[in-house]
Amino acid sequence: MDKPLLSVIVPSYNEEENVDAFYRAMRDEVASTHYRLEVIFVDDGSSDRTLTELQRLSKWHSNVKYVSFTRNFGKESAILAGFQHAKGDCLIVIDADLQHPVELVHELLLGFEEGYDQVIAQRDRKGESFVRSTLSTLYYKLMNKVVDVKLENGVGDFRLLSRRAVDALLVLSEGNRFSKGLFSWIGFDQKVVHYENVVRKNGQSKWSMQKLINYGIDGIVSFNMKPLRLCLYAGSGILLFSLAYIVFTFFQIMRTGVEVPGYFTLISAILALGGIQLVSLGIIGEYIGRIYNETKRRPHYLVKETNLDRGIRYEKAK
Ligand code: UDP
Ligand code: MG
């Protein structure tokens, strides 16, 4: 029988200094296993020489595949493109910047051979700025209270997926892809392996605070309806409270007559209600925006260039 094929999916956005080193490191690592390797780089509309590097690399090495987007569509779309083009029996999603240690491949494959469909790499947060790690920890605490799927701190996209787990992911066709949530949503037997956080060597992180905050909001609203319900609860709570207050004031007036006009109570009621209404509207707007996006049914990405001759896997299967 043929050796099993491992597809490694590498979303790459402005990683010109990293792709070559990454490929070499990965190839050397996989060489000591009994897997054949294909590395699929997804150039997410880089503005540097990433694509040129990939073209050069793929000339020399036949197991280097690349898909290059027409613009920056985001890491989630890059991962999806990787899934759609990979032919492997198992797939690994990994960053190009060597922050995800390639040595972990052995442990991931071991998990796969033990029969797990998802082998998840979880990192500690060493070397990360205090603000960022505290914010993330808080975020995950909040998320897990709010969303319907379980998300864990330090767990990212770095993981191994079996062919059937990937096929399951490909069936989920939503436009707004929050992959952490999707990975958790499909379920299957999962195993967690741990690694130490590594500080990025070349290039810069593409995640600004703004991007991270947007990503966080995406995560919350793409996986549940609970924020909408929260508006409902908050609204009802405040309504009850106001009713009670109205009744109370009414009897107060009946007993003692009209007092000094209650500027304080009035202004606080107006401000609080106004605030809550705006927040609720914002939340509803988020959902409506998402519905709007989904109804447009736009593709997740457009391909400018690729060295893969075969079409997208799951479209062929239709
Ligand atoms: N990435 C991408 N598209 C983007 C942003 C990032 O494909 O719009 C890739 C990037 O090239 C890297 C991975 O996603 O391989 C993780 O990005 P980065 O290292 O900037 O994130 P961090 O490690 O700081 O979380
Ligand atoms: Mg990184």
Side-chain angles (χ1 to χ4, degrees):
M1 218 178 90
D2 254 359
K3 286 192 202 168
L5 176 67
L6 165 68
S7 301
V8 174
I9 293 164
V10 198
S12 318
Y13 177 49
N14 293 346
E15 304 281 5
E16 57 181 5
E17 302 117 314
N18 291 323
V19 287
D20 192 278
F22 172 87
Y23 171 71
R24 278 165 214 286
M26 182 52 88
R27 182 195 54 191
D28 294 347
E29 232 26 79
V30 177
S32 59
T33 68
H34 67 280
Y35 284 81
R36 286 179 299 135
L37 173 71
E38 70 169 357
V39 183
I40 303 181
F41 287 98
V42 185
D43 165 32
D44 187 10
S46 303
S47 51
D48 65 356
R49 292 172 43 82
T50 304
L51 178 59
T52 326
E53 275 295 303
L54 292 177
Q55 288 162 334
R56 193 184 57 77
L57 207 61
S58 66
K59 276 209 187 88
W60 289 99
H61 309 282
S62 61
N63 58 0
V64 173
K65 315 275 160 63
Y66 66 86
V67 179
S68 176
F69 289 174
T70 53
R71 65 168 172 87
N72 180 245
F73 280 91
K75 189 179 177 189
E76 310 287 335
S77 303
I79 294 176
L80 175 68
F83 285 162
Q84 289 174 333
H85 289 90
K87 301 177 193 80
D89 302 294
C90 57
L91 286 82
I92 289 179
V93 182
I94 184 168
D95 284 1
D97 54 13
L98 293 167
Q99 271 185 304
H100 294 163
V102 286
E103 308 83 70
L104 215 68
V105 164
H106 299 283
E107 260 186 88
L108 293 177
L109 287 171
L110 204 69
F112 176 60
E113 272 155 27
E114 287 165 7
Y116 290 98
D117 288 284
Q118 290 205 51
V119 191
I120 302 162
Q122 182 171 27
R123 70 180 162 138
D124 56 25
R125 289 196 170 266
K126 226 186 268 174
E128 234 175 53
S129 78
F130 176 73
V131 181
R132 188 161 162 181
S133 66
T134 324
L135 279 182
S136 328
T137 314
L138 272 176
Y139 174 70
Y140 282 101
K141 284 231 169 82
L142 174 83
M143 276 291 266
N144 280 319
K145 287 248 156 40
V146 187
V147 301
D148 304 329
V149 291
K150 177 129 183 61
L151 299 175
E152 257 172 277
N153 194 359
V155 168
D157 306 314
F158 183 22
R159 63 184 66 214
L160 177 142
L161 296 156
S162 67
R163 169 47 52 195
R164 55 179 190 162
V166 172
D167 286 343
L169 281 169
L170 287 177
V171 174
L172 310 179
S173 61
E174 56 225 77
N176 200 302
R177 299 188 75 84
F178 183 70
S179 40
K180 278 189 199 185
L182 296 178
F183 287 149
S184 168
W185 187 88
I186 58 166
F188 286 113
D189 290 343
Q190 309 185 347
K191 181 185 178 186
V192 176
V193 298
H194 294 270
Y195 70 97
E196 251 183 45
N197 196 22
V198 190
V199 180
R200 192 183 241 274
K201 287 197 198 81
N202 295 316
Q204 275 184 349
S205 171
K206 277 94 203 169
W207 293 93
S208 58
M209 212 34 153
Q210 179 70 35
K211 253 191 168 176
L212 274 178
I213 291 174
N214 282 336
Y215 182 70
I217 294 178
D218 272 351
I220 293 179
V221 289
S222 44
F223 262 87
N224 67 97
M225 299 288 157
K226 281 185 194 158
L228 283 177
R229 180 135 325 146
L230 213 65
C231 298
L232 192 69
Y233 284 145
S236 329
I238 285 175
L239 192 68
L240 280 180
F241 181 75
S242 339
L243 280 179
Y245 185 69
I246 289 169
V247 173
F248 168 77
T249 342
F250 179 75
F251 281 110
Q252 191 86 341
I253 290 170
M254 296 294 271
R255 246 188 34 221
T256 60
V258 180
E259 282 179 32
V260 192
Y263 172 76
F264 173 71
T265 39
L266 201 65
I267 201 76
S268 28
I270 291 174
L271 288 180
L273 274 179
I276 287 173
Q277 278 175 358
L278 281 181
V279 170
S280 311
L281 271 180
I283 295 177
I284 295 168
E286 280 286 329
Y287 283 97
I288 295 181
R290 245 148 262 257
I291 297 172
Y292 174 60
N293 273 333
E294 296 291 336
T295 52
K296 284 189 288 193
R297 293 242 144 260
R298 293 209 178 130
H300 296 93
Y301 56 84
L302 292 176
V303 175
K304 179 169 70 180
E305 191 187 321
T306 170
N307 69 341
L308 284 155
D309 46 331
R310 280 211 247 149
I312 292 173
R313 226 187 92 94
Y314 89 118
E315 286 199 339
K316 281 186 95 179
K318 270 186 198 159

